[in-house]
Amino acid sequence: MSLPPPESADAAAPVVGSQRRQLALQLAATLAVLSLAWPYYGLRNEQLPWPQTALAIGAVALLFASITRQAWWWRLMHALFVPLAWAASTLAIDPGWYLLLFILLLLVYRGALGGQVPLYLSNRASAAALAELTSDLPAMRFLDLGAGVGSVLGPLARQRPEARFTGVENAPATWAVGRLRTVGLANCDWRWGDIWHTELSAYDVVYAFLSPAPMAALWEKAQREMRPGALFISNSFAVPDVAAERIVEVNDVRQTRLFCYRL
């Protein structure tokens, strides 16, 4: 299925910049520790103690991430990355297993690699809340950005046959599962695509369950493209520095909140 015409890549720039920043912090920590450790142990004619070196790199990376005020999950990843990489290297696991694991993770979590968007699955309670929230739009056009395995679109499309639903997903495995789950729904259009290259102007409601990282850029995109009066709904993650028109408390175990913004 063809995708809408690409728009400018500027919307995704903050996400790409963040990825480069994290890589730079990790490299800086590695260089800082090795530039001191190698000469010290070299002059003493001693072998570099890799366990202590890996822990030192993790500690310095955590320090750099804290100084630059990175989010807590980035700090945790910086602290654990090199120590865990060293620990894995001691297990004598065939490299082919690492390649297989990487491929499997890429098939499911491609969004996390390209845009800091892990796989979050909307539950039935959220789908029911969305149905109630949009009950005044019987013939709405509804778009799910990062639609996962169709856990929102499937129930909504079955409940609202008069409405039109579109899901956009770019992780191969989750796209395939969602495609199978929605293949018999005539009012559901399941697409392979990138959220940043998806035009929003044709939709009455745009829904996203992504992560904190892309929300500011996604809101800018919504303001540029969505029609006046259209509704943007974010599951769990608020748009930074923008007051929601309404916040819906979902009655589920994880106490989901739907942040609603009227364009």
Side-chain angles (χ1 to χ4, degrees):
M1 184 173 295
S2 61
L3 295 175
E7 65 180 72
S8 169
D10 291 345
V15 174
V16 175
S18 177
Q19 294 172 340
R20 291 174 178 170
R21 187 181 309 114
Q22 308 312 322
L23 178 60
L25 290 173
Q26 191 65 225
L27 288 176
T30 302
L31 290 174
V33 172
L34 292 181
S35 64
L36 295 175
W38 252 323
Y40 175 79
Y41 288 100
L43 291 173
R44 294 164 59 94
N45 200 27
E46 296 178 7
Q47 190 175 18
L48 193 68
W50 280 109
Q52 295 88 334
T53 303
L55 290 173
I57 292 173
V60 174
L62 174 60
L63 175 63
F64 287 172
S66 299
I67 291 174
T68 55
R69 299 182 179 181
Q70 304 305 310
W72 68 266
W73 62 85
W74 276 121
R75 300 184 195 188
L76 181 63
M77 286 191 283
H78 279 298
L80 296 179
F81 178 74
V82 173
L84 288 179
W86 172 82
S89 71
T90 66
L91 300 178
I93 298 175
D94 188 289
W97 289 108
Y98 290 112
L99 178 61
L100 177 61
L101 179 61
F102 173 76
I103 292 173
L104 291 175
L105 289 174
L106 186 62
L107 289 174
V108 177
Y109 294 104
R110 183 176 182 270
L113 178 65
Q116 301 182 62
V117 180
L119 176 62
Y120 291 117
L121 299 179
S122 299
N123 53 30
R124 289 188 175 274
S126 296
L130 287 168
E132 182 178 354
L133 187 59
T134 59
S135 59
D136 61 334
L137 300 169
M140 68 175 173
R141 293 178 60 86
F142 183 102
L143 173 65
D144 187 349
L145 294 174
V149 297
S151 53
V152 159
L153 286 196
L156 283 179
R158 292 182 181 90
Q159 184 176 346
R160 303 279 295 278
E162 74 285 3
R164 297 291 303 177
F165 298 90
T166 301
V168 176
E169 178 57 47
N170 73 345
T174 51
W175 176 89
V177 172
R179 179 64 175 169
L180 290 173
R181 293 182 67 180
T182 60
V183 69
L185 299 173
N187 62 336
C188 188
D189 181 12
W190 191 258
R191 299 181 183 179
W192 169 272
D194 184 344
I195 63 173
W196 304 109
H197 291 76
T198 300
E199 176 63 42
L200 309 182
S201 59
Y203 301 96
D204 305 300
V205 181
V206 174
Y207 169 78
F209 188 10
L210 302 176
S211 80
M215 291 311 301
L218 184 58
W219 176 243
E220 292 180 4
K221 176 178 171 64
Q223 288 181 299
R224 288 196 308 269
E225 299 177 11
M226 293 179 68
R227 300 192 305 265
L231 185 63
F232 175 72
I233 305 174
S234 176
N235 187 321
S236 301
F237 307 112
V239 175
D241 303 319
V242 179
E245 177 188 76
R246 181 181 178 187
I247 301 176
V248 177
E249 304 282 350
V250 178
N251 185 22
D252 62 359
V253 174
R254 64 189 183 203
Q255 297 182 320
T256 298
R257 305 173 82 191
L258 302 178
F259 296 89
C260 306
Y261 303 87
R262 185 75 60 178
L263 274 295

